[in-house]
């Protein structure tokens, strides 16, 4: 990750990846772009600093072998460039031991920086209630070079007074860097079905006034 204060950042942002033929082509193109940017750095082109993935990652549908295949696919790039991720609606996978639990594959395979809380929040997806999580894997921030990157979660409450909303307020108060990048997690479901339950709402509506 670029040292704080470093200028000349370049991020690759992608979601809805999966492990199809097109997915493999996308990863191969990213690797080629990363190689070319490293070689061209002396000519003024900045290398890719990190890959940002705001959800909809593997489309594994609770298949551990599919998750393994996806991770092998991205490993050549992920072992070279930092991958910062959060969960989208395609990461809603049930824990076999606890059917009210969710995001089992994502929670067990990724650990992002940030505040890890025991607070739970519920959300509704395809007319079914799930348990959401307020911890570092879902919303967090970090500084890379002159950028302060903020990931928000569509599956943790962001209403005023919620833990995510309070965290975002505090995050923005101490922000002094000239460049910020805010990424909400991917939510390709209908608004009334996902992130719109009684406790959890899509973050953009509540976060937008804070980011203006």
């Amino acid at each position: 990750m670029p040292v704080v204060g470093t200028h000349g950042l370049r991020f690759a942002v992608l979601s809805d990846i999966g492990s199809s033929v097109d997915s493999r082509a996308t990863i191969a193109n990213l690797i080629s772009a990363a190689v070319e940017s490293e070689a061209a750095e002396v000519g003024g082109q900045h290398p890719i600093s990190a890959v940002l993935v705001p959800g909809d990652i593997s489309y594994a549908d609770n298949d551990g072998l599919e998750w393994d295949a996806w991770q092998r696919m991205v490993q050549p790039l992920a072992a070279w460039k930092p991958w910062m991720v959060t969960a989208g609606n395609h990461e809603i996978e049930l824990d076999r031991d606890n059917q009210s639990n969710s995001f089992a594959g994502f929670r067990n395979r990724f650990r992002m920086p940030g505040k890890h809380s025991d607070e739970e929040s519920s959300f509704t997806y395809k007319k079914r209630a799930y348990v959401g999580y307020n911890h570092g894997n879902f919303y967090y921030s970090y500084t890379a070079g002159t950028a302060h990157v903020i990931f928000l979660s569509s599956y943790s409450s962001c209403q005023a007074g919620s833990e995510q909303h309070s965290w975002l307020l505090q995050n923005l108060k101490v922000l002094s860097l000239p460049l910020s990048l805010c990424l909400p997690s991917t939510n390709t479901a209908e608004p009334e079905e996902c992130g719109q339950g009684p406790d959890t709402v899509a973050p953009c509506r509540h976060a937008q006034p804070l980011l203006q």
Side-chain angles (χ1 to χ4, degrees):
M1 196 68 70
V3 176
V4 175
T6 302
H7 290 272
L9 300 174
R10 189 180 180 201
F11 294 105
V13 182
L14 69 159
S15 63
D16 289 289
I17 304 171
S19 54
S20 66
V21 173
D22 290 338
S23 306
R24 295 184 180 91
T26 296
I27 298 302
N29 288 338
L30 267 178
I31 292 173
S32 297
V35 170
E36 291 173 4
S37 66
E38 294 280 348
E41 185 175 7
V42 293
Q45 182 178 343
H46 300 299
I48 293 174
S49 304
V51 179
L52 310 180
V53 186
D56 290 354
I57 301 171
S58 71
Y59 285 76
D61 295 327
N62 217 25
D63 184 338
L65 295 178
E66 188 64 28
W67 267 112
D68 292 344
W70 181 88
Q71 290 189 290
R72 286 193 296 270
M73 179 188 74
V74 303
Q75 192 272 340
L77 183 58
W80 179 25
K81 300 292 182 179
W83 276 61
M84 309 304 291
V85 302
T86 192
N89 63 293
H90 285 280
E91 279 66 67
I92 302 175
E93 300 173 314
L94 294 181
D95 187 328
R96 291 188 181 91
D97 297 325
N98 182 356
Q99 290 299 297
S100 68
N101 209 349
S102 51
F103 302 100
F106 179 84
R107 290 186 297 107
N108 289 317
R109 291 173 183 267
F110 297 99
R111 179 61 67 186
M112 295 292 107
K115 183 177 184 298
H116 294 260
S117 169
D118 293 329
E119 178 185 309
E120 292 183 349
S121 61
S122 63
F123 65 94
T124 301
Y125 177 62
K126 293 186 177 179
K127 300 180 181 179
R128 181 172 181 174
Y130 291 87
V131 175
Y133 296 88
N134 287 315
H135 58 62
N137 271 20
F138 280 55
Y139 64 86
Y140 58 90
S141 67
Y142 69 96
T143 300
T146 54
H148 187 70
V149 182
I150 300 172
F151 278 86
L152 298 178
S153 170
S154 294
Y155 308 101
S156 303
S157 176
C158 199
Q159 298 183 63
S162 68
E163 186 168 344
Q164 182 172 205
H165 190 274
S166 299
W167 167 85
L168 181 58
L169 277 173
Q170 290 300 117
N171 208 276
L172 296 176
K173 282 181 181 178
V174 300
L175 186 61
S176 60
L177 294 170
L179 174 63
S180 294
L181 178 62
C182 186
L183 296 173
S185 61
T186 306
N187 178 352
T188 56
E190 292 299 319
E192 64 271 15
E193 290 190 337
C194 190
Q196 297 290 341
D199 301 314
T200 305
V201 294
C204 292
R205 179 155 48 95
H206 295 281
Q208 186 174 3
L210 304 180
L211 300 172
Q212 292 176 340

